[in-house]
Amino acid sequence: MDVTIEQLRLLEELQRIEVESVRIENLLKKVTDKTYGIDKKYNSVELKHQELVDELDVFKDDYQQLDSYVKDINERLVKNAEYLKTVSTQKEYKVLLRETDENKKKSSKMEDEMIELLDQIEEKEKQVETSKNDLFQLKTTVDNEKQGILDESVEERQELEIIQKKKDEITPSIDSKLLKIYNNLLITANRRAVISLKNPTCTGCFVTLPPQFFIELRKGGTLVFCPQCQRILVWDEEKAEK
Ligand SMILES: [Zn+2]
């Protein structure tokens, strides 16, 4: 296949850009991983805070339930007291009195539980408040930390944008057949499909090129592959040892 030196130079430039893109993308991936780790740490603290809030809610619900039970019992006690005045038989009187007695005991037991719950609620509220403040402070620290990490990689992001733009510019100028050969080679050539030579050794596989082959390569004008690793070889006049 005939190929101009300009085409080969463009291909080399494309390769250089792609290698650099991969390097920057790997670096940015590390940045993302770091911020992800920070988020994870924050989320676990937030989860613990939420657990405390949930526990407080359970205490409050329990208290409300007991409160409503006690109110019911007390209403019944009032009714029974009224009813007691009207009963006529001894038997009925005894039953009512026993019921009243039991209800009073129940109500008193629940009231004791409510007092205990109030203590627990107060204690839990303190814990929630402390945890809320801690979480707020952590949020500020985490945000600053993340911003710092992102700020450090601003240059890389800009560089990546610039070289990707350059890649978009030069790619259409490369012969599509040549581009296809290059892209196929990338898969097997460890991101080095084009090798620029300044002496008769392929720096991709370190084979010494036969003299006749090397003369052909120096002449230029055709696409030449390394006989051993199949990479595209380009004679670099400028870098060559004179
Ligand atoms: Zn080679």
Side-chain angles (χ1 to χ4, degrees):
M1 181 181 161
D2 289 346
V3 67
T4 62
I5 188 71
E6 287 75 24
Q7 282 283 300
L8 290 172
R9 292 276 175 257
L10 282 176
L11 208 56
E12 269 188 278
E13 176 69 358
L14 179 67
Q15 176 169 277
R16 197 191 60 74
I17 288 171
E18 286 180 343
V19 167
E20 185 63 2
S21 293
V22 170
R23 187 191 69 82
I24 297 172
E25 276 161 6
N26 284 340
L27 211 126
L28 291 178
K29 166 93 172 50
K30 278 187 196 144
V31 170
T32 317
D33 288 350
K34 247 193 214 173
T35 57
Y36 179 75
I38 293 171
D39 279 337
K40 213 171 144 188
K41 201 171 78 187
Y42 177 79
N43 289 343
S44 78
V45 175
E46 195 181 34
L47 201 73
K48 278 197 185 115
H49 172 72
Q50 191 52 48
E51 277 169 16
L52 283 176
V53 171
D54 291 345
E55 283 163 15
L56 177 62
D57 286 345
V58 169
F59 282 154
K60 282 180 171 171
D61 284 349
D62 287 352
Y63 183 86
Q64 284 302 325
Q65 207 170 17
L66 282 173
D67 188 50
S68 113
Y69 285 157
V70 168
K71 272 180 187 147
D72 279 354
I73 291 171
N74 287 345
E75 269 173 33
R76 218 174 305 153
L77 282 171
V78 171
K79 275 182 196 160
N80 280 1
E82 286 299 312
Y83 195 50
L84 262 179
K85 290 176 195 164
T86 65
V87 294
S88 47
T89 68
Q90 188 75 9
K91 196 184 167 197
E92 218 178 341
Y93 186 77
K94 268 189 184 168
V95 170
L96 262 178
L97 215 56
R98 197 169 54 228
E99 200 192 312
T100 303
D101 202 36
E102 274 168 14
N103 278 337
K104 273 184 185 165
K105 274 185 200 156
K106 253 194 238 169
S107 163
S108 151
K109 192 171 167 263
M110 283 182 188
E111 275 166 352
D112 286 347
E113 280 176 37
M114 282 166 76
I115 290 167
E116 217 171 285
L117 266 175
L118 277 181
D119 282 345
Q120 283 172 320
I121 287 171
E122 199 185 334
E123 183 58 34
K124 195 59 77 180
E125 270 172 346
K126 275 185 204 157
Q127 287 177 13
V128 167
E129 189 58 25
T130 307
S131 152
K132 197 173 128 189
N133 289 335
D134 288 351
L135 195 66
F136 182 75
Q137 270 182 356
L138 183 65
K139 174 88 182 139
T140 315
T141 313
V142 157
D143 284 348
N144 286 339
E145 213 175 319
K146 273 166 72 180
Q147 194 54 52
I149 291 169
L150 291 176
D151 285 349
E152 274 173 30
S153 58
V154 162
E155 270 178 38
E156 278 80 8
R157 271 172 233 282
Q158 285 170 347
E159 202 186 327
L160 189 63
E161 216 174 286
I162 291 168
I163 62 171
Q164 271 169 352
K165 217 169 146 189
K166 206 165 173 196
K167 182 183 167 179
D168 293 343
E169 276 168 20
I170 67 163
T171 308
S173 310
I174 302 172
D175 181 86
S176 61
K177 252 192 251 168
L178 184 62
L179 203 59
K180 203 175 167 197
I181 294 168
Y182 164 80
N183 281 325
N184 284 338
L185 267 174
L186 278 185
I187 301 164
T188 52
N190 193 25
R191 301 223 67 82
R192 274 187 80 202
V194 188
I195 302 278
S196 191
L197 295 186
K198 51 184 184 178
N199 55 52
T201 306
C202 168
T203 54
C205 66
F206 301 104
V207 75
T208 304
L209 303 167
Q212 191 53 44
F213 184 92
F214 189 57
I215 290 164
E216 282 298 312
L217 172 66
R218 289 187 67 167
K219 259 201 271 173
T222 53
L223 192 58
V224 176
F225 299 97
C226 169
Q228 180 158 291
C229 69
Q230 306 303 319
R231 288 179 168 100
I232 298 167
L233 299 179
V234 184
W235 168 243
D236 193 337
E237 193 76 49
E238 283 163 32
K239 277 195 243 160
E241 290 157 3
K242 301 238 164 97

